[in-house]
Amino acid sequence: MGKTEIKKIYEGDQWLKPYAEAIEARHERILEEKERISAGHGGSLSKGINNHLYYGLHRQEDGSWVFREWAPNALKVYLIGEFNNWKKTEAYALHPVGNGNWEITLEDMFLSHGTLYKLYIEWHGGGAERLPAYVTRAVQDPETKAFCAQVWDPVPYRWKHRNPSKREHPFIYECHIGMSSEKEKVATFSEFRKDVLPYIRSLGYDTIQIMALQEHPYYGSFGYQVSNFFALSSRFGTPEEFKELVDEAHGMGIAVVMDIVHSHSVDNEAEGLSRFDGREDLYFYPGDRGRHPAWGSRCFDYGKHETQQFLLSNCKFWLEEYHLDGFRFDGVTSMMYWDHGLGKAFSGYDCYFDGGVDEAAVTYLALANMLIKEVNPDAITIAEDVSGMAGLAAPFEAGGVGFDFRMSMGVADNWIKWIKTQTDEQWSMGEMWWQLTNKRKDEKTISYAECHDQAMVGDKTIAFRLMDKEMYTHMDKNSHSDVIERGLALHKMIRLVTMATAGDGYLNFMGNEFGHPEWIDFPREGNGWSYKYARRQWSLVKADYLRYRPLMLFDKAMVSLARKEFLLSAPPELLVQDEEKKILIFKRINCIFALNFNPVSSFADYGFAAPAGKYTVILDSDDPEFDGFDRVKRGEEHFTVPEKSANGNQTYDDTLYLYLPCRSALVLEKCSDK
C-alpha cells in the first residue's frame, strides 16, 4: 500500500493559503537544521543531541571523575569546593581542549557523593563563582541562601513500572509539589507521593502536570525563573524521591508531564547562566533583545547552535533520567515573537509570518518536538500560546511545528470576563458556545476553566470570584446565602460545560476542583515570608459539614463520565442555544448536555429537536450528593416523541422534552433508539 498523503495546513484553511510560501520556507528551515544536527547520525536527532553526557560532572569507567564546561570567553576556570577549602588552586584548574571547552579529570578520592562545589571563572576584567551550566544537582544553604553544586552519585534507582500508553485525550491535574501540603511549609516529593497522588487517582485524572521542577533561586517565582535547567529543585527532595513519585504514578496508570521553561532564564549571575563567563550573550541575544522587558529575565538566542544544543539536550535529559511522559512548554508566545506578544492583539494571520516572528525560536520548538518523539514516541507535548499561531499544534509533515496539543487559553479568559463584567441575565449562550468550541479543526487543544494563573494573588479563582468573602462565613451546610447558592451552582456548570466542549483534553489546577478558597501567594517580603497562602487546605474537602466536598464529588463524577463515555473522541454538536431562556443544549458521542443558566426561571416540558431514542439522566448538578436542590427525579427515563420541533437543530425529526431547573445542568445518555 502507498504512503498516505499528508494534507498541508494551508490546504484546509483558505485564510492560510496566501501564506503557503512562507509556511513552506519555514518548513525547509526546520528541515535543514534537523539535517545539520543529525548528519553523521543516520538522520537521528537523538543520536546528535547529547551535550548533557559530555558537559558537567561524570563518573568514568575507571572510577575517576571528568568535568567539562563550555566557557569560550574564560581565561581560567577552576573547580572550588569542600575538597580544597573553596580556594583557587592549580591542582583543580581546568585546561582548554578547544572550541571554548574546558576539562579536568580527578581521581576518585577527591570527590564523593554529597560533596559541594562550584566553578570560579576568570575573564578579561573580572571573575566570579558560578554554578556549572549542566549541573544536575544544586542545593541551597539554609542560612546564606546561596546555591552550590553537589556531587550526586547514589546507588542507581531501580524502576518498577513502565511508562503508561500515550494520552490521546488527557485529563490533566496541574500541581505544584511545594504547595501541596496543608501545613505552612514547602512540601516534598515523598509527601506528595503518599498524600496527594492517591487523591488524584481517586478523582479520575490520568495525567499530572508538575510545575517548578527545574531549580529556581526564588521560590515565589512559581518555578518560572529557572537558574539550573538540568537540576531538579532540591527544595522538594532528592532525584531518587522524585523518581519514586514518577514510578508510583506510572504504577497507578498516571502519566507525568513536566512544565518545562525554555522561554527565558533567570537574570541571576551567581546561580544562573547570565554573564556565565563574563560575556553577556553566551547563551542569550545581545543587548536589549537578550532581556525580557516584562519578566526581568534573559532571552535565549535560539539560533545559536550551542544554545540550541543546550536546550535540546535538556529535553532529552529529563525524558531519559526521570522517565517523564512529556512536557508542557511554558511561555511559547514569548519565545516566538520579538516583542514577546506583549500588548499584541494577534487579530490576523499576518503576524504569524511577518518580521515580528523569531524564526529561530520556531525552528527550535519544532526540533524539540521531533527529538521528544524520537526519545519516547508516546510522549506528549503541550504549547502554552496566546497568539493562536496557525500550525503550532499541527504535524511537522503538514507544515506545522509539531506540538500534540495547545492550551485553549481564551476559554479561561472569557469565563473571567463574563463573571466580572456581566450579570447572569447578560450571559450569551451563542457567545459561550462560540468561545468554548472555537478551535482549529486541524490542531488538538486542552481546555480549562481555570489553571494556576487564575489562582495567583492579584487574580481570583472562579469560586472566589463567584462567592468572595461569603466563603469565609457561609460554606457550612447549615448556613444560607444566595451568593453561595449561586456560586456553587455556577461553579459546577462552568466546569461541566468547559470539559464537555473541550477539544481533546481537559485540565484542572490542584484544589480548584473543590473551589479552594482564597488565592495563591508565595512567601515574600510583602507578606512577611508567610506560607499561609502557599498550601492546599485538603481538610476542607474531608469535612462533611462543609460545602467543598460536594464540589469535589461533582468534579469526580464529571471526569468519570467523560472517560467512561470516551467523550473527547468526537466533537460536540449544538442542539439549542436559547438566548431568551438562557439554555444551552448540545450532543457529544452518546450524551446530551442540557444546561439552564437562567438565574430564576425553571422550564417544564422544554422541548427540542434531538436524535430519536430513550435517554436516562447520568449526571445532575442539582443532585443532593452535589449539594443541589433535588429538583429532578432520579432514575427517570425520557423518550423522544416523533414530532418535529421548531426549537433546536433541524436535522432531527424527533423531540425530547425535559424539565430544566434554573442554574442546573443535566447529562443524559442515550440507551436505545426506541
Side-chain angles (χ1 to χ4, degrees):
M1 291 180 68
K3 199 173 182 180
T4 305
E5 187 176 345
I6 295 176
K7 192 175 182 181
K8 296 288 187 176
I9 57 174
Y10 52 77
E11 292 175 346
D13 185 344
Q14 61 173 335
W15 302 106
L16 266 184
K17 284 182 180 177
Y19 305 97
E21 190 175 332
I23 291 169
E24 290 297 340
R26 179 176 288 171
H27 184 85
E28 286 303 311
R29 277 193 298 272
I30 297 166
L31 203 55
E32 287 172 9
E33 199 61 20
K34 177 184 184 290
E35 289 171 353
R36 181 190 67 79
I37 297 171
S38 60
H41 300 286
S44 168
L45 262 182
S46 181
K47 289 179 180 177
I49 301 294
N50 285 303
N51 273 27
H52 58 293
L53 300 180
Y54 179 78
Y55 294 108
L57 183 66
H58 298 281
R59 175 83 80 167
Q60 300 192 103
E61 287 185 8
D62 63 2
S64 65
W65 295 93
V66 62
F67 179 86
R68 303 185 188 95
E69 190 62 76
W70 180 62
N73 194 49
L75 298 175
K76 294 281 286 184
V77 181
Y78 299 92
L79 267 183
I80 61 173
E82 294 178 316
F83 45 82
N84 63 4
N85 203 26
W86 301 96
K87 303 292 185 183
K88 295 184 294 179
T89 61
E90 287 304 314
Y92 291 92
L94 281 69
H95 60 276
V97 293
N99 299 316
N101 295 317
W102 298 77
E103 181 177 300
I104 187 172
T105 301
L106 296 170
E107 294 301 318
D108 179 48
M109 69 182 75
F110 295 106
L111 294 175
S112 60
H113 178 65
T115 301
L116 300 179
Y117 70 100
K118 289 185 181 183
L119 297 178
Y120 192 94
I121 302 179
E122 294 179 352
W123 55 83
H124 286 290
E129 294 180 357
R130 294 286 186 260
L131 295 188
Y134 287 81
V135 65
T136 58
R137 174 75 172 169
V139 293
Q140 187 176 25
D141 186 288
E143 293 182 7
T144 67
K145 304 302 180 185
F147 278 83
C148 287
Q150 186 177 41
V151 177
W152 200 253
D153 187 37
V155 175
Y157 180 81
R158 295 186 64 180
W159 294 89
K160 303 177 188 69
H161 304 285
R162 299 177 63 180
N163 292 56
S165 58
K166 185 168 185 174
R167 295 291 181 256
E168 300 292 344
H169 302 289
F171 286 82
I172 303 171
Y173 198 81
E174 185 186 31
C175 48
H176 183 283
I177 300 296
M179 58 171 286
S180 65
S181 171
E182 181 142 0
K183 296 176 182 176
E184 296 183 25
K185 65 167 196 168
V186 178
T188 66
F189 294 126
S190 295
E191 289 170 330
F192 184 93
R193 175 178 57 81
K194 294 172 188 173
D195 302 332
V196 184
L197 203 55
Y199 169 72
I200 296 171
R201 177 175 61 174
S202 75
L203 291 176
Y205 289 88
D206 62 10
T207 304
I208 54 175
Q209 178 179 300
I210 309 181
M211 308 170 65
L213 289 175
Q214 293 167 293
E215 191 59 87
H216 46 290
Y218 180 44
Y219 185 51
S221 74
F222 225 145
Y224 290 122
Q225 292 268 345
V226 173
S227 53
N228 314 110
F229 288 79
F230 290 82
L232 183 73
S233 182
S234 60
R235 56 172 59 87
F236 307 132
T238 68
E240 287 63 46
E241 287 166 343
F242 179 57
K243 288 175 182 178
E244 192 175 5
L245 189 165
V246 174
D247 206 6
E248 194 155 321
H250 287 168
M252 295 178 178
I254 297 173
V256 182
V257 170
M258 171 183 174
D259 198 346
I260 198 167
V261 181
H262 283 178
S263 46
H264 62 136
S265 175
V266 71
D267 191 34
N268 300 35
E269 296 177 9
E271 298 90 0
L273 298 173
S274 191
R275 293 184 72 243
F276 183 76
D277 63 355
R279 181 174 165 177
E280 183 189 37
D281 60 347
L282 186 65
Y283 288 96
F284 311 109
Y285 286 116
D288 290 343
R289 184 161 278 182
R291 297 187 176 275
H292 200 291
W295 298 343
S297 52
R298 303 304 311 277
C299 300
F300 286 111
D301 181 348
Y302 300 101
K304 194 170 189 175
H305 292 162
E306 293 85 355
T307 302
Q308 191 185 81
Q309 287 273 343
F310 176 83
L311 294 173
L312 289 172
S313 293
N314 195 235
C315 294
K316 185 177 180 182
F317 168 79
W318 285 99
L319 285 174
E320 293 188 335
E321 182 68 19
Y322 294 107
H323 290 204
L324 298 179
D325 303 291
F327 300 103
R328 180 259 200 189
F329 278 74
D330 178 70
V332 167
T333 308
S334 180
M335 297 171 73
M336 295 192 300
Y337 302 94
W338 294 118
D339 61 7
H340 308 293
L342 299 171
K344 202 167 184 174
F346 295 107
S347 55
Y349 280 13
D350 278 351
C351 57
Y352 303 148
F353 304 101
D354 61 17
V357 176
D358 181 353
E359 290 293 345
V362 176
T363 296
Y364 163 69
L365 290 168
L367 293 174
N369 275 284
M370 292 178 194
L371 172 67
I372 290 162
K373 302 303 165 47
E374 272 193 34
V375 176
N376 178 3
D378 288 337
I380 63 170
T381 55
I382 306 167
E384 188 223 20
D385 169 51
V386 297
S387 76
M389 178 180 275
L392 186 63
F396 174 70
E397 296 77 13
V401 179
F403 280 97
D404 292 296
F405 304 93
R406 66 190 313 153
M407 303 294 288
S408 190
M409 300 181 74
V411 171
D413 291 341
N414 277 288
W415 283 122
I416 291 172
K417 182 186 77 173
W418 296 329
I419 294 170
K420 193 175 179 181
T421 66
Q422 297 179 1
T423 64
D424 295 2
E425 291 80 7
Q426 291 174 321
W427 286 18
S428 165
M429 301 299 100
E431 184 186 10
M432 185 182 296
W433 176 257
W434 168 254
Q435 295 295 352
L436 291 175
T437 61
N438 180 27
K439 305 172 180 75
R440 294 187 63 83
K441 291 182 173 60
D442 58 349
E443 300 187 36
K444 293 181 178 180
T445 57
I446 305 288
S447 290
Y448 56 97
E450 54 187 345
C451 68
H452 73 271
D453 287 329
Q454 287 74 40
M456 295 296 287
V457 66
D459 207 335
K460 288 183 178 181
T461 62
I462 286 175
F464 216 35
R465 282 190 183 279
L466 290 170
M467 297 178 280
D468 208 73
K469 64 181 184 297
E470 294 278 324
M471 295 185 77
Y472 296 119
T473 55
H474 291 84
M475 282 299 281
D476 61 288
K477 290 183 178 179
N478 293 324
S479 177
H480 174 76
S481 163
D482 290 340
V483 171
I484 295 294
E485 300 297 352
R486 170 183 177 266
L488 296 177
L490 289 179
H491 191 272
K492 290 179 282 187
M493 295 180 74
I494 287 169
R495 302 178 90 72
L496 178 65
V497 74
T498 301
M499 185 211 67
T501 55
D504 304 273
Y506 176 73
L507 177 142
N508 164 62
F509 178 68
M510 178 173 69
N512 285 0
E513 70 278 359
F514 64 83
H516 197 287
E518 301 170 325
W519 50 82
I520 299 165
D521 189 13
F522 280 85
R524 55 187 173 86
E525 189 174 4
N527 65 17
W529 303 102
S530 169
Y531 287 88
K532 183 178 180 181
Y533 299 109
R535 61 192 179 107
R536 297 283 88 176
Q537 298 179 59
W538 303 111
S539 60
L540 294 175
V541 85
K542 296 174 184 175
D544 288 337
Y545 64 90
L546 294 178
R547 310 186 78 170
Y548 296 99
R549 183 171 179 79
L551 292 181
M552 178 275 287
L553 292 174
F554 182 78
D555 193 87
K556 179 178 180 178
M558 181 181 85
V559 171
S560 173
L561 179 154
R563 292 185 63 189
K564 180 185 173 187
E565 300 291 335
F566 300 98
L567 202 67
L568 305 186
S569 59
E573 176 189 358
L574 180 64
L575 297 179
V576 176
Q577 58 179 46
D578 189 329
E579 295 291 358
E580 180 189 353
K581 293 184 172 65
K582 302 301 175 191
I583 290 173
L584 181 67
I585 304 174
F586 56 93
K587 172 184 175 292
R588 194 160 195 181
I589 303 292
N590 206 35
C591 297
I592 287 178
F593 294 80
L595 299 103
N596 179 5
F597 282 94
N598 198 301
V600 292
S601 298
S602 301
F603 302 99
D605 293 329
Y606 187 89
F608 58 96
K614 180 177 79 171
Y615 294 84
T616 57
V617 174
I618 57 173
L619 185 64
D620 175 12
S621 70
D622 204 44
D623 193 301
E625 182 185 9
F626 310 131
D627 206 4
F629 292 104
D630 199 18
R631 291 171 291 180
V632 174
K633 285 185 181 179
R634 287 187 293 284
E636 194 171 35
E637 295 179 336
H638 300 267
F639 297 85
T640 56
V641 294
E643 61 185 38
K644 190 79 174 178
S645 174
N647 187 25
N649 192 321
Q650 293 302 294
T651 59
Y652 299 108
D653 294 325
D654 287 65
T655 299
L656 184 64
Y657 289 94
L658 297 174
Y659 171 51
L660 300 178
C662 62
R663 281 203 190 116
S664 70
L666 290 177
V667 185
L668 299 99
E669 182 181 36
K670 187 178 178 184
C671 305
S672 65
D673 291 333
K674 296 293 182 182

